[in-house]
Amino acid sequence: KPNEKAKPLHVDYGEAISFPFPMKVIGSLPEWIRIPLMVKGSKPSPPRDSIDILGQDSEVDPYEKKLILPGKIWRVRYSYLMSPEFKKAMESLFGNVNAAAITNAPDHLKETLEKDIAAAEMYDTMSEKERADQGGDSKQDMFIAKINIDGDDNALLIYNPVRLHPQMIDWINTLGEVKFIVSGSSSHTNFLPDASKQFPNAKIICASAADLKCQGVGMRPADFLYDVVRDEEVPTRYSGRGTYEDALEALQGQARLFHIRGDVCTQALFVLVHKHLFEVDLLYVNSDEKLRETEFESGTSIQHSSHRIFHYSLITKKAHPIGYLLPKYRCLMMDPTSLLASKLMIDAPNADGSSCVIMAESLRSALKTLSQHGVCDQVLSSHTHEMSRECFCQKLNETWGWLDGTSLLE
């Protein structure tokens, strides 16, 4: 049925989603019961990788390391097996994603998508060991920057930590001493508790929702909550913690932080260091050049197949007309009249719909600063690949320009 509830501001989120009965029950509970349940249900649960399944001596390495800036910045691309629960959750909300992928794909790729779906179905029947032998079906990036803190020019900042097996910890320790662990998204928390355990002296910078979820599995309280600022009233449970401003002071000018306010789903945080911007959970599509380079249309690996199915089922304009290049659920999580956004998230959008405007203004401010001459040379995105600042600004505008109906580029 079409969503008959009035939509605040200019945004029309399209047809309403029919939620499973258990989600409706949770959504009907009072906040003091509902939020703890949501925290418990979203607590970190690391997926498994080739080392977990095949052992430390496995020839399948889940890590791909790349030097980005000599002696200063490194990228670690981590491969793992997607959780079956994630696939089930997507299907429970959006129906048969396979059928949607074929429908939404351009004509010249429909046959490719049919082969992708057959390959994915065969992959799902494999044993965990067989899937691990193929390296896994999902990837994300961690970034490491060397900075100078208190005169120590071997201090390290880790952004978006991934699973840290002993060999990865040993390699990181050859680069320097980890002083900061930064979680750039409140939705990327699976590996944060382990990272904080492996580097107990490092300061943790994350969003308050991430801190809440991670403490649920025993992580020590974060040192800095970047979505809490000094001139606003701080909830009692966060008293004594460092704020956004405190985090900036602790970084001693070595890195700049851009919190995208209004992004209730991820509380996204950009980190700018050595004229390189680290980003997670705001971009989901590579530049056109990188799409060709990575064989998005022609690649035959299970990761290529999974990527195409995800893209054409949830990201294309046919999948959801609001946010082109953006997964459908990211749009819906900004809808204050949706059960998903208003009742089933730790951070809910403002009831009047103004979170969209706040997020647009925050993005616009960040892009204006980043566009200044000599500020940013390159962008490193955890879900895509490195790209120029110009390409990043363009893609971000294509992805999120619907928020207040005005271009994010000034």
Side-chain angles (χ1 to χ4, degrees):
K1 293 181 179 180
N3 193 338
E4 296 174 352
K5 295 182 180 179
K7 297 295 176 181
L9 305 176
H10 75 287
V11 182
D12 177 6
Y13 290 92
E15 293 185 356
I17 291 177
S18 178
F19 291 92
F21 181 71
M23 296 178 72
K24 294 180 180 179
V25 171
I26 293 175
S28 68
L29 297 172
E31 183 175 316
W32 65 274
I33 297 177
R34 176 168 42 83
I35 294 300
L37 285 176
M38 295 308 303
V39 170
K40 184 177 181 179
S42 58
K43 66 182 180 182
S45 178
R48 285 161 64 81
D49 59 36
S50 58
I51 293 179
D52 291 318
I53 299 161
L54 304 176
Q56 289 287 345
D57 297 329
S58 167
E59 295 182 359
V60 182
D61 189 351
Y63 303 113
E64 175 192 329
K65 300 188 285 286
K66 180 179 179 179
L67 177 62
I68 300 295
L69 186 64
K72 295 292 185 181
I73 296 178
W74 297 261
R75 183 198 76 193
V76 177
R77 179 153 294 158
Y78 172 67
S79 298
Y80 59 95
L81 278 65
M82 181 184 291
S83 164
E85 286 72 25
F86 178 79
K87 294 181 179 180
K88 292 178 181 177
M90 289 297 101
E91 290 187 357
S92 69
L93 288 176
F94 304 114
N96 188 332
V97 295
N98 290 344
I102 294 177
T103 299
N104 297 332
D107 290 342
H108 74 282
L109 282 180
K110 289 188 185 296
E111 185 177 343
T112 299
L113 263 294
E114 291 175 355
K115 294 178 180 178
D116 287 337
I117 291 168
E121 289 174 347
M122 180 176 292
Y123 180 81
D124 287 342
T125 66
M126 293 179 180
S127 67
E128 189 179 48
K129 181 180 183 301
E130 289 173 322
R131 286 182 284 137
D133 280 330
Q134 294 193 26
D137 51 24
S138 301
K139 293 183 179 182
Q140 64 172 277
D141 291 350
M142 168 177 73
F143 306 117
I144 303 172
K146 183 173 287 190
I147 57 179
N148 187 308
I149 298 295
D150 295 329
D152 177 9
D153 58 7
N154 282 315
L156 300 178
L157 178 151
I158 291 179
Y159 180 88
N160 191 48
V162 297
R163 181 71 180 277
L164 300 176
H165 288 290
Q167 58 267 55
M168 177 52 58
I169 296 170
D170 291 343
W171 177 74
I172 292 174
N173 285 333
T174 67
L175 303 178
E177 181 183 355
V178 177
K179 294 291 184 72
F180 295 94
I181 300 171
V182 183
S183 172
S185 164
S186 61
S187 293
H188 272 234
T189 58
N190 281 336
F191 308 110
L192 183 58
D194 181 59
S196 69
K197 181 179 179 181
Q198 300 298 338
F199 300 107
N201 296 323
K203 301 294 185 183
I204 302 172
I205 303 175
C206 69
S208 53
D211 177 67
L212 201 60
K213 291 190 287 186
C214 290
Q215 285 199 62
V217 294
M219 189 184 85
R220 57 190 164 94
D223 299 277
F224 305 101
L225 303 175
Y226 63 72
D227 57 334
V228 176
V229 296
R230 287 177 184 168
D231 60 354
E232 294 181 358
E233 184 177 350
V234 179
T236 304
R237 65 178 179 275
Y238 299 135
S239 61
R241 312 285 197 87
T243 63
Y244 171 84
E245 293 86 355
D246 295 323
L248 285 175
E249 291 177 4
L251 289 165
Q252 300 176 14
Q254 293 292 297
R256 297 177 67 174
L257 308 179
F258 299 85
H259 171 218
I260 308 306
R261 298 173 68 86
D263 178 19
V264 293
C265 176
T266 75
Q267 298 292 349
L269 179 76
F270 298 158
V271 173
L272 179 67
V273 57
H274 303 312
K275 297 185 179 181
H276 284 65
L277 187 76
F278 301 158
E279 179 277 329
V280 59
D281 272 354
L282 285 180
L283 278 189
Y284 296 82
V285 176
N286 282 320
S287 65
D288 295 340
E289 179 183 353
K290 282 294 181 182
L291 285 174
R292 290 190 294 270
E293 183 182 314
T294 57
E295 300 180 320
F296 171 71
E297 292 194 355
S298 60
T300 57
S301 71
I302 187 63
Q303 292 187 351
H304 282 103
S305 293
S306 298
H307 187 186
R308 283 190 291 263
I309 293 171
F310 179 77
H311 180 88
Y312 287 113
S313 62
L314 292 173
I315 291 183
T316 65
K317 204 171 187 68
K318 283 187 177 180
H320 201 63
I322 298 177
Y324 181 46
L325 308 181
L326 189 68
K328 184 188 297 187
Y329 55 83
R330 285 293 266 123
C331 298
L332 296 177
M333 286 174 174
M334 298 297 292
D335 180 1
T337 69
S338 163
L339 176 69
L340 177 64
S342 63
K343 300 294 184 181
L344 299 177
M345 288 175 25
I346 296 173
D347 292 329
N350 294 337
D352 62 359
S354 60
S355 293
C356 287
V357 174
I358 294 170
M359 184 176 175
E361 292 173 348
S362 187
L363 283 169
R364 199 170 285 121
S365 175
L367 293 182
K368 182 178 180 179
T369 298
L370 295 170
S371 297
Q372 295 173 3
H373 179 71
V375 172
C376 177
D377 295 335
Q378 191 175 42
V379 177
L380 305 176
S381 175
S382 293
H383 287 307
T384 59
H385 288 74
E386 50 269 27
M387 63 183 71
S388 67
R389 170 185 51 80
E390 293 81 5
C391 179
F392 171 73
C393 292
Q394 177 187 346
K395 287 293 182 184
L396 206 64
N397 187 48
E398 289 180 46
T399 302
W400 292 99
W402 59 272
L403 284 168
D404 64 358
T406 306
S407 173
L408 302 177
L409 306 178
E410 296 183 349

